[in-house]
Amino acid sequence: MGKDLITDEKLREEVMATYAAYLKAFLSHDTATLNSLMRYPLAYIGDGKSRMFDTFPFDPAQMMAAKQMHTTIDADYEVVSVTDKKAHLVLHSATRIKKDGTPIEYVSGFYALTRTDAGWKFFALSDITVPAADALT
């Protein structure tokens, strides 16, 4: 049992490191790194439908510019389940803000990853965003 717990914790740390790399690449508009972290085809669940993509589903730079988004703060995420082949990570909440610190929206997400010879790769993403103005009402 002890060895399983150590392995489980090691796998969780690997998945958490992969998510940290994903968040860093997203915020720095590094689509090459984002694409390297994906296992295509990628299932993206949003707007009431599931779609498959062979590249990252949208351009982070364009999305951030359109929303006047500077960065994401207070990201609260955890690996909720992991085996040596697959992991589920949940972003419980995070706040997307403007350069002046004004909240734009709150986001939560679900990520499914698979372990490959090249490391952990995302194969499914789902997100929910709530505009900050809507969260106040």
Side-chain angles (χ1 to χ4, degrees):
M1 177 89 170
K3 183 178 185 296
D4 291 340
L5 290 175
I6 292 168
T7 301
D8 186 59
E9 188 57 35
K10 181 180 182 301
L11 294 173
R12 286 178 190 279
E13 289 172 7
E14 291 172 4
V15 173
M16 293 288 277
T18 301
Y19 184 77
Y22 164 83
L23 186 57
K24 180 180 178 184
F26 186 94
L27 293 173
S28 64
H29 317 148
D30 183 352
T31 53
T33 297
L34 283 174
N35 281 314
S36 76
L37 294 170
M38 302 298 134
R39 175 138 185 212
Y40 294 109
L42 173 75
Y44 179 74
I45 305 161
D47 298 325
K49 53 190 157 193
S50 298
R51 293 173 290 175
M52 300 301 283
F53 290 88
D54 292 322
T55 60
F56 198 71
F58 57 90
D59 182 330
Q62 288 177 356
M63 183 277 288
M64 290 174 71
K67 294 182 179 202
Q68 299 178 9
M69 180 183 153
H70 173 63
T71 195
T72 297
I73 61 169
D74 301 329
D76 175 22
Y77 54 94
E78 71 172 317
V79 177
V80 295
S81 190
V82 64
T83 68
D84 62 341
K85 296 179 180 153
K86 184 177 174 185
H88 289 168
L89 183 141
V90 172
L91 171 64
H92 295 287
S93 63
T95 305
R96 293 177 172 165
I97 61 170
K98 293 181 180 183
K99 194 166 187 128
D100 68 2
T102 304
I104 299 167
E105 62 190 2
Y106 304 100
V107 62
S108 112
F110 166 82
Y111 305 85
L113 297 92
T114 187
R115 193 171 190 207
T116 71
D117 291 342
W120 288 96
K121 305 286 183 181
F122 295 86
F123 69 92
L125 312 173
S126 177
D127 60 358
I128 296 172
T129 57
V130 177
D134 290 352
L136 298 175
T137 57

